[in-house]
Each structure stands twice: as C-alpha cells, then as structure tokens.
Amino acid sequence: MNLNVAIVDDHPLVLEGLKSLLLQTEGIEHIYTAQTGSQLGSLLALHSIHLYIIDLDLPDIDGFELIHRIKQKSPEARIIVSTMHEEIWIVNKLKHPDIDAVVFKSSAGEYIQKALQTVLKGKKYYCPQFQKLYKEKDKIGHTPDTLDSAPTIRELDVLKAIAKGMSTHEISECLFISENTVEWHRKNLMVKFGAKNATDLVIKALSKGYLSIPLK
C-alpha cells in the first residue's frame, strides 16, 4: 500500500509534528504539507492524494468547506480532522459521512496513529474525548435547528464582522479571503438563520447566542 498523504494546518509546528508521526507509519509513500487551502490546491494539481489530515481553522477557507470540495473531486479520499474545537455545535458537524476520523489536538499523538490505522481499514475513528462530548451533547438543550444548521467557524468570523458593520471589502481584507468567499459565507448565513437582511441576521444571531453585546 503506497499512500500519498496531505496535512493541512496553518501552524508550522503542528505540520512538522504530524509529519514526524506519519513517517513512522508503514505504507505511506509521500507526505505533503500545506498551510492554506490554496497551497493544497497547488499540490492537487501535481499529485494524487489518498488521505488528508485537515485542521478546521485555515486562513483562506473554512475547513468544512474544504472537506466538501475534496470529497466532490475525490469521493474515495479519506479525511481525518485534527482540531482544537470541542464546542458542541462543532462536535455535531464533525459526525458527518465525509469525515472518517476526528482527533482533538488536546489528545495525545497516539490517537492520530490509531485514527490512521482505523481509517485505512475502511472504518471510522473518533478519539475518546470526541466520543464523550458526542454522548453528552444530547443532555444539552440544543434544538435541531442549532445542531443541523450551525454556522461554521469561518462563517462565525464573517458574522461577527457583519455585526460590526463591516463591508464585504473590509471583511475580505480583515480575514484574508476573497470578496466572493465573503459573499458565499454571507449567503450561507442568511439561509441558516432564515434572515431577510443583515439587520435581521444580527438580531437572530444574538437571540441564538452566536453573538453577544457588546460585540468585540
């Protein structure tokens, strides 16, 4: 088994740490690293990737959006998410058919190895802390709307910027993403919150607890 693996994380130390772990894994032929979605795009133009280890926080694209694009292009690709986010609404979104494994960054490095071994056998893997949180989420009074339509991490960034009255151009420069990407997130937010306009969006986000006053 000769696998090509891509690690996508905007922290160089994390990239090196994960790469060192993977070098100990038999059957991996090449390990590629990228700090942004665009860097990964350049890699994909030159190489075939069989397995991805992806962080959700990337400077130019939301991690969930990136996973969706990867699976659209390569449905057979295996996806392992490595994230620091343990919020309930993120935990729920991570239990998705497109995601083969979840390992929290707070977990020991051994779980990455376990995730890799399990995923290569065609099975799902969730680190112990994820399993604990996923079981506990049902005890918390979230409505189906909150769980199924929760904004992604990048959408929350855009939401906070909209609440501050920032324009599309200003949000683009602040978050280092294109104006088209800002508008894409804005449209998704409108749909998820059932909002008619920016004011309605902010009011509904406040009522659901995604924004607080004063906005920081």
Side-chain angles (χ1 to χ4, degrees):
M1 185 188 306
N2 296 318
L3 293 174
N4 292 339
V5 178
I7 308 170
V8 190
D9 196 297
D10 64 343
H11 293 89
L13 289 177
V14 173
L15 286 177
E16 288 306 311
L18 289 175
K19 187 174 181 180
S20 296
L21 282 173
L22 295 185
L23 287 172
Q24 304 170 28
T25 304
E26 187 177 349
I28 294 179
E29 185 172 5
H30 297 293
I31 301 172
Y32 304 100
T33 60
Q35 291 183 261
T36 65
S38 59
Q39 285 183 9
L40 178 63
S42 298
L43 285 173
L44 293 178
L46 301 172
H47 310 285
S48 290
I49 308 296
H50 307 107
L51 186 144
Y52 298 78
I53 299 178
I54 297 175
D55 184 18
L56 297 179
D57 287 323
L58 299 171
D60 61 342
I61 188 172
D62 177 79
F64 288 109
E65 180 187 346
L66 179 61
I67 291 168
H68 176 67
R69 292 184 184 183
I70 289 171
K71 295 297 283 189
Q72 276 191 320
K73 183 177 180 180
S74 305
E76 72 287 351
R78 311 272 174 81
I79 306 288
I80 297 175
V81 170
S82 172
T83 180
M84 63 179 287
H85 288 280
E86 301 183 17
E87 297 91 337
I88 294 300
W89 56 89
I90 298 297
V91 166
N92 188 74
K93 286 178 69 66
L94 286 169
K95 201 71 177 287
H96 190 281
D98 285 347
I99 298 173
D100 298 288
V102 179
V103 177
F104 289 136
K105 289 185 176 180
S106 58
S107 304
E110 65 179 288
Y111 295 134
I112 283 288
Q113 289 283 9
K114 288 182 179 179
L116 188 62
Q117 293 166 5
T118 304
V119 164
L120 293 180
K121 292 177 183 177
K123 300 179 180 179
K124 301 277 187 178
Y125 178 84
Y126 303 101
C127 69
Q129 176 65 2
F130 178 90
Q131 294 182 52
K132 178 184 176 184
L133 291 174
Y134 192 78
K135 288 178 181 177
E136 290 178 349
K137 76 179 180 64
D138 293 329
K139 300 176 184 178
I140 301 174
H142 286 292
T143 64
D145 176 68
T146 304
L147 289 174
D148 296 337
S149 303
T152 65
I153 295 166
R154 183 56 86 187
E155 285 169 356
L156 286 174
D157 291 336
V158 173
L159 175 62
K160 290 174 183 176
I162 292 173
K164 292 177 182 177
M166 296 173 67
S167 67
T168 296
H169 179 69
E170 289 171 331
I171 296 172
S172 171
E173 289 193 332
C174 179
L175 299 180
F176 303 102
I177 56 179
S178 71
E179 292 187 19
N180 284 338
T181 299
V182 173
E183 286 302 313
W184 188 84
H185 288 313
R186 187 192 296 270
K187 180 180 177 181
N188 283 346
L189 286 165
M190 292 291 187
V191 171
K192 288 183 177 182
F193 284 93
K196 300 175 183 177
N197 50 48
T199 301
D200 190 32
L201 173 63
V202 171
I203 291 172
K204 289 183 175 179
L206 283 166
S207 69
K208 289 179 178 288
Y210 288 104
L211 292 174
S212 59
I213 300 176
L215 297 168
K216 297 181 179 179

